């Protein structure tokens, strides 16, 4: 903690902060090794950001974490909205820790539609959280908190187990759903025992492995392709289907793509929204469909909302549609 007692203007603190960054970023010699420090600095100003030492330190700490999240080796001034965001994240974290044991999660299922005849060809299990205290919390909010806290591991197991059991119940009641898709987080996928957990859940659910479709993001596969190939190969030996979710947004090498034992690509909704009117989007989507056809991969388009979008995709060989045009 650094106290600047005689600055003329709050912005003067940034001069000192930059000098500290420059100084701390210089290489340090430890025995035979040269090491580097990437500092992150948060700045709180009296009396704007607090009138007590405790409040100033707390707000400087919040700003420091903002600097870390922005990429490190940076400084950030405290802003009131930072505190609101930090308090909201803390609140979500505290309630999330009790949500599983209190049975506050539930799944909803969005159908996947066959492009040729319109029948339901599968569904994607979507996690929802209905907290007694917070109400219905958006997945965009709580999934990030769950991943940062590690809670995504037990939650992810719950989702996979609940989805498999639900489909098995549907099959027993005479409702045949060809496949169920479940999103897999990076933390889940990187677990050493992940393949074993999937095997155990399938056995406990008494569900045929070919019905389960695991959706993995493109960016996750690109981060450690060699390790991903091993895990995906083991999953394929179990008999499950494998899809790359949000394809086109992860900047992965197409050279890696041919190594992955993938069954399906899911075109991200961001390319579908302006598909008919935006030349760039239509070109990208057409290229993905051509690539998939050449590699023998199935393709699902997410976020299909209009008949024009569906017609465009159908004409270019897209196999499945998923979106509000058919069902939320």
């Amino acid at each position: 903690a650094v106290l600047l007692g005689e600055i003329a203007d709050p912005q003067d603190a940034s001069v000192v902060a930059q000098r500290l960054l420059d100084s701390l970023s210089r290489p340090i010699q430890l025995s035979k090794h040269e090491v580097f420090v990437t500092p992150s600095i948060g700045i709180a100003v009296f009396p704007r950001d607090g009138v007590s030492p405790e409040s100033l330190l707390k707000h400087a700490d919040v700003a420091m974490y903002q600097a870390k999240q922005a990429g490190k080796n940076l400084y950030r001034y405290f802003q009131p909205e930072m505190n609101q965001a930090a308090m909201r994240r803390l609140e979500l974290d505290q309630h999330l820790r009790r949500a599983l044991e209190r049975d506050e999660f539930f799944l909803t299922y969005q159908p996947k539609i066959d492009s040729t005849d319109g029948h339901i060809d599968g569904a994607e299990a979507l996690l929802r959280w209905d907290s007694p205290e917070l109400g219905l919390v958006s997945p965009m909010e709580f999934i990030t908190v769950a991943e940062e806290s590690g809670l995504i591991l037990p939650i992810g197991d719950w989702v996979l187990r609940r989805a498999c059991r639900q489909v098995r119940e549907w099959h027993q009641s005479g409702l045949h759903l060809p496949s169920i898709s479940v999103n897999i987080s990076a933390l889940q996928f990187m677990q050493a025992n992940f393949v074993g957990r999937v095997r155990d859940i399938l056995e406990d659910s008494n569900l045929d492995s070919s019905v389960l479709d695991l959706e993995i993001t493109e960016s996750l596969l690109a981060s450690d392709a060699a390790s991903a190939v091993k895990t995906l190969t083991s999953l394929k030996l179990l008999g499950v289907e494998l899809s790359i979710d949000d394809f086109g947004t992860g900047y992965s090498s197409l050279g890696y793509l041919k190594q992955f034992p993938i069954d399906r690509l899911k075109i991200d909704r961001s390319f579908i929204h302006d598909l008919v009117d935006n030349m760039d989007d239509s070109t990208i989507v057409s290229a993905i469909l051509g690539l998939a056809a050449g590699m023998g991969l199935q393709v699902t388009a997410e976020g299909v909302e209009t008949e024009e979008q569906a017609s465009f995709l159908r004409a270019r060989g897209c196999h499945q549609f998923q979106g509000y045009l058919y069902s939320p």
Side-chain angles (χ1 to χ4, degrees):
V2 177
L3 176 64
L4 305 178
E6 298 181 8
I7 57 173
D9 184 271
Q11 292 306 311
D12 292 345
S14 64
V15 177
V16 180
Q18 189 59 54
R19 288 175 182 167
L20 286 168
L21 291 176
D22 294 341
S23 179
L24 291 168
S25 298
R26 295 192 188 109
I28 300 166
Q29 197 71 31
L30 294 179
S31 185
K32 298 179 181 179
H33 304 284
E34 191 175 56
V35 297
F36 295 84
V37 174
T38 52
S40 302
I41 299 175
I43 303 170
V45 180
F46 171 91
R48 183 186 70 190
D49 301 326
V51 294
S52 69
E54 292 79 12
S55 63
L56 287 168
L57 282 170
K58 183 182 77 171
H59 290 160
D61 193 52
V62 169
M64 181 193 69
Y65 277 99
Q66 287 288 320
K68 283 187 176 185
Q69 291 177 358
K72 303 181 181 179
N73 215 32
L74 301 166
Y75 64 83
R76 286 287 184 269
Y77 280 87
F78 173 77
Q79 302 292 338
E81 56 267 26
M82 289 181 183
N83 201 34
Q84 294 170 6
M87 294 305 293
R88 174 64 173 174
R89 293 175 83 85
L90 179 61
E91 182 181 43
L92 289 173
D93 182 81
Q94 291 173 340
H95 287 286
L96 265 176
R97 293 182 184 279
R98 301 192 300 269
L100 260 182
E101 62 187 60
R102 293 165 60 176
D103 199 28
E104 295 172 6
F105 293 115
F106 66 96
L107 297 182
T108 185
Y109 300 86
Q110 186 175 43
K112 297 180 177 182
I113 306 300
D114 185 278
S115 64
T116 55
D117 60 12
H119 77 269
I120 295 178
D121 199 28
E124 179 179 355
L126 302 171
L127 177 63
R128 297 292 182 262
W129 177 24
D130 190 4
S131 165
E133 295 85 7
L134 306 176
L136 199 61
V137 185
S138 167
M140 298 294 289
E141 245 193 320
F142 75 80
I143 291 294
T144 302
V145 177
E147 288 176 339
E148 291 177 354
S149 64
L151 290 169
I152 196 67
L153 294 176
I155 293 173
D157 269 10
W158 180 89
V159 171
L160 192 55
R161 193 176 300 276
R162 180 61 61 92
C164 288
R165 286 180 177 174
Q166 177 64 80
V167 175
R168 181 60 182 165
E169 289 173 10
W170 281 336
H171 286 182
Q172 290 174 334
S173 66
L175 176 62
H176 180 68
L177 189 72
S179 73
I180 184 68
S181 299
V182 178
N183 289 280
I184 301 301
S185 75
L187 281 178
Q188 280 179 283
F189 188 78
M190 291 187 292
Q191 279 186 295
N193 62 342
F194 175 63
V195 177
R197 296 186 78 82
V198 173
R199 182 191 299 111
D200 292 344
I201 288 172
L202 285 168
E203 289 176 355
D204 290 345
S205 308
N206 196 24
L207 184 69
D208 191 288
S209 59
S210 63
V211 177
L212 180 61
D213 177 13
L214 300 180
E215 296 189 2
I216 297 119
T217 61
E218 184 182 4
S219 55
L220 187 161
L221 299 179
S223 62
D224 188 355
S227 177
V229 168
K230 292 180 182 178
T231 302
L232 292 173
T233 301
S234 297
L235 289 168
K236 281 304 298 178
L237 290 174
L238 281 183
V240 303
E241 297 286 299
L242 298 170
S243 298
I244 297 184
D245 198 15
D246 304 331
F247 187 76
T249 64
Y251 313 109
S252 68
S253 165
L254 293 179
Y256 285 134
L257 185 59
K258 65 182 182 182
Q259 300 178 35
F260 298 141
I262 294 295
D263 302 290
R264 181 179 301 275
L265 303 179
K266 294 192 72 178
I267 303 176
D268 187 71
R269 67 183 64 250
S270 62
F271 298 118
I272 305 299
H273 186 264
D274 294 321
L275 176 65
V276 178
D277 302 316
N278 186 296
M279 181 63 71
D280 290 339
D281 285 345
S282 62
T283 301
I284 290 171
V285 170
S286 296
I288 292 173
L289 288 166
L291 173 72
M295 299 183 70
L297 301 174
Q298 296 285 304
V299 181
T300 300
E302 295 182 295
V304 179
E305 298 179 352
T306 68
E307 286 289 355
E308 291 79 10
Q309 292 167 346
S311 296
F312 180 99
L313 293 161
R314 188 180 295 110
R316 287 158 181 80
C318 186
H319 305 95
Q320 275 186 346
F321 302 146
Q322 187 178 346
Y324 277 36
L325 177 61
Y326 304 99
S327 173

